[in-house]
Amino acid sequence: MKPDPKNIVIIEKVIAGGMGLGHLDSGMVVLAPKVLPEEEIRFRIIKRHKDYLEAECLEIFTPSPFRVIPQCPLFGKCGGCDLQHVVYDYQLVLKDAIVRDLLVRGGVGNYQDIQRIINGPILPSPKTFGYRQRIRLQVDPKTSRPGYYQIRSHKVVPVDRCPLAGIEINQALSEVGDSEHFQELLNQTQSVEFILSPVDEKVILLLHYQRKPRPQDRNHAEQLMRNTPVLKNILFSVADFGLMDSQGRMGEAAVFDSLVHFKVSGAAAGSQTLEMTLEPGGFCQVNLEQNDNLVKILLEWTDPGPDARILDLFCGMGNFSLPLAGKAAEVIGMDLQRSSVRSAKRNALIAGLENCRFDKMTAVEAVKKLYENNERFETILLDPPREGCNEVIPFLEKIGAGMLIYISCDPSTLARDLGLLRDFGYIVDRLQVVDMFPKTHHMETIVRLVKN
């Protein structure tokens, strides 16, 4: 016999954020994590909102045929992998539906329009586990143990292995886990990043420290590196202080032996790959194989000629700028993070590309200054953070861009920004979803827009 029907709902779809959505007979929306379409569930209300109920699934009466047993024992406790209970092919179906729904609701077009512009099926990841090039673990202030936040909480779930992380990261996590030196360092650490340098097959630890490192802290780091061959280096990061390594070096000197080395395919003329470096703490895509696929799509869609000028407003360390520079006349990149700009300049030098210019500047400052200087670009590349780039959009047509490439890690802000771009005369003509983050609801989307 089923319980009170007031606490039973049939899940209709999975929406942005990975939550399952259903409606009660009253019309009230119920949102619950880790459930799938067509599942009938019994739920408990966690929090009441004006327009919906935030809920927890207590029982599934009709499990989806696409439901599988998660591989990670922390699933359901850790707040990370919210789709690990779903067979991989169906994860792609869910993500594709989320993007289409958001684009329609954002006014980009109706479902027939969206079908026409989508380039093809969502691009699956070559790896569904072990694909992450870096992870960031929080440190429990009471126990000094590293882990991920629990769902809907700042409670830390201890982690000694992450199935999404690369082999070397898990090796490092295992080898440092029982070390007294690591524990002493964690006592003053808010969070710790494990960053794989793929070319070296070594891991860099970036400790987000609560205070300036003292000699005994650096001694613990030195001992930990001696006892852990998979570690390349250990860095301390302190707010308003910068970076320091175990030898007491600071700033650029501190990162000299800690650069992340990797390769990006489809690059400069005459070569198959670009050698890239990144300073720890800088941004790069966590799934490097899917990053190669993104670069390939970018080059196919832009196909810049030898006279083309291209602007990259969120250039990072040159992940997209430098492959484009191998074909274009000139590429100008802007980024707010000083270390990323340093990396971009270093990577251009390594590649022997002299037709690049990189400056530290916000995207809004950049487009205003370029407009004032009467500079014009055939193509503008937008790869903003999760919050999108709506403040930049009104200035884009002023610097002459006939084509925009928008790369987004958040389909909700993407849909909003595409609606704004439509108001300024930019029409979406190609869109490809890339599964950059298997086992989670997150995804990457690349869009090409042309001036109407």
Side-chain angles (χ1 to χ4, degrees), residues 101 159 177 220 357:
D101 188 49
V159 170
H220 284 304
R357 188 178 88 219

Side-chain angles (χ1 to χ4, degrees), residues 107-150:
V108 177
N110 58 35
Y111 284 101
Q112 290 73 29
D113 297 330
I114 303 305
Q115 180 63 34
R116 283 194 295 270
I117 64 175
I118 287 182
N119 193 56
I122 183 170
L123 192 65
S125 176
K127 295 178 182 176
T128 58
F129 286 105
Y131 63 85
R132 288 195 66 99
Q133 176 258 344
R134 71 178 187 277
I135 62 172
R136 181 167 182 159
L137 301 179
Q138 307 301 318
V139 178
D140 190 318
K142 295 181 180 179
T143 66
S144 294
R145 296 186 64 186
Y148 293 119
Y149 283 136
Q150 185 175 317

